[in-house]
């Protein structure tokens, strides 16, 4: 855990891009291999890192973590949305996905809003997020937040790599 945190910190100091550093930290956090104390320490470190650096990838990861808690409360969903919005406002596809996902489900006191969900998924898909492309396909297929459109549904499935290839 400490080595992953140091690797991530060193990329902040040197400006070197290490795209897997944040993902590796998330994988460790969600692996189930950490004690409760280690998870709390790692979460606090991730939040501090996101706050200090403004890292949109870290914010997107934090949105996922807060949203995925098994005992999530309204406050957790609000924290997830806050991180997702901050990430999305920086143009992060994952942040856009999480904002759209939260609106598509309606968690806690955040009301379900299909039009907002569609708008954010469309933005995430346009930025290359494969999960958003799949959800956008479902939105078009089922008329969620947008008029049904089988052609666009299939196009988005194909872009995501899950559709039928001709």
């Amino acid at each position: 855990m400490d080595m992953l945190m140091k690797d991530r910190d060193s990329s902040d100091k040197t400006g070197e891009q290490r795209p897997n550093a944040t993902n590796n930290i998330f994988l460790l956090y969600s692996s189930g291999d950490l004690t409760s104390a280690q998870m709390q320490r790692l979460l606090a470190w991730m939040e501090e890192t996101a706050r200090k650096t403004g890292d949109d990838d870290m914010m997107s990861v934090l949105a996922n973590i807060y949203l995925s808690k098994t005992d999530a409360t309204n406050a957790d969903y609000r924290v997830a949305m806050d991180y997702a919005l901050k990430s999305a406002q920086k143009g992060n596809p994952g942040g856009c996905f999480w904002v759209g996902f939260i609106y598509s489900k309606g968690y806690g006191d955040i009301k379900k809003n299909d039009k907002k969900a569609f708008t954010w998924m469309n933005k995430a898909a346009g930025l290359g997020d494969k999960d958003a492309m799949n959800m956008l396909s479902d939105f078009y297929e089922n008329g969620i937040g947008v008029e049904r459109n089988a052609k666009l549904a299939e196009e988005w499935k194909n872009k995501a790599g899950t559709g039928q290839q001709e």
Side-chain angles (χ1 to χ4, degrees):
M1 178 172 85
D2 290 328
M3 290 187 69
L4 288 175
M5 291 170 18
K6 284 179 186 175
D7 180 48
R8 177 61 178 65
D9 282 340
S10 71
S11 68
D12 287 338
K13 290 175 186 162
T14 64
E16 179 183 342
Q17 292 295 318
R18 292 194 179 130
N20 291 328
T22 301
N23 189 50
N24 289 340
I25 289 167
F26 172 71
L27 291 173
L28 175 63
Y29 182 87
S30 59
S31 70
D33 293 336
L34 299 177
T35 66
S36 178
Q38 289 172 319
M39 288 179 74
Q40 288 175 359
R41 180 173 160 241
L42 187 54
L43 182 60
W45 176 85
M46 286 188 283
E47 290 183 311
E48 179 68 12
T49 299
R51 187 187 62 73
K52 283 196 308 195
T53 66
D55 185 309
D56 53 309
D57 283 328
M58 187 69 73
M59 291 175 196
S60 178
V61 163
L62 285 162
N64 186 353
I65 287 170
Y66 275 94
L67 190 61
S68 302
K69 284 185 171 185
T70 55
D71 57 349
T73 64
N74 281 343
D76 292 319
Y77 296 133
R78 282 278 159 205
V79 171
M81 181 60 102
D82 185 51
Y83 279 123
L85 281 168
K86 286 177 182 175
S87 176
Q89 289 165 350
K90 291 176 172 265
N92 183 285
C96 295
F97 171 83
W98 288 118
V99 173
F101 186 83
I102 292 167
Y103 279 128
S104 76
K105 304 295 182 188
Y107 286 107
D109 61 355
I110 301 169
K111 294 192 182 333
K112 181 177 180 183
N113 186 320
D114 291 339
K115 289 187 186 283
K116 286 183 179 181
F118 173 81
T119 297
W120 284 103
M121 280 302 162
N122 192 39
K123 185 170 184 173
L127 292 169
D129 189 286
K130 299 280 186 190
D131 292 327
M133 290 176 192
N134 279 317
M135 283 194 73
L136 198 58
S137 173
D138 288 342
F139 286 7
Y140 276 115
E141 187 174 322
N142 297 301
I144 300 170
V146 67
E147 262 186 58
R148 285 185 181 197
N149 187 321
K151 183 180 181 210
L152 286 174
E154 190 60 32
E155 284 178 21
W156 281 110
K157 277 182 190 167
N158 289 334
K159 286 179 183 179
T162 59
Q164 296 179 6
Q165 302 300 316
E166 297 176 18

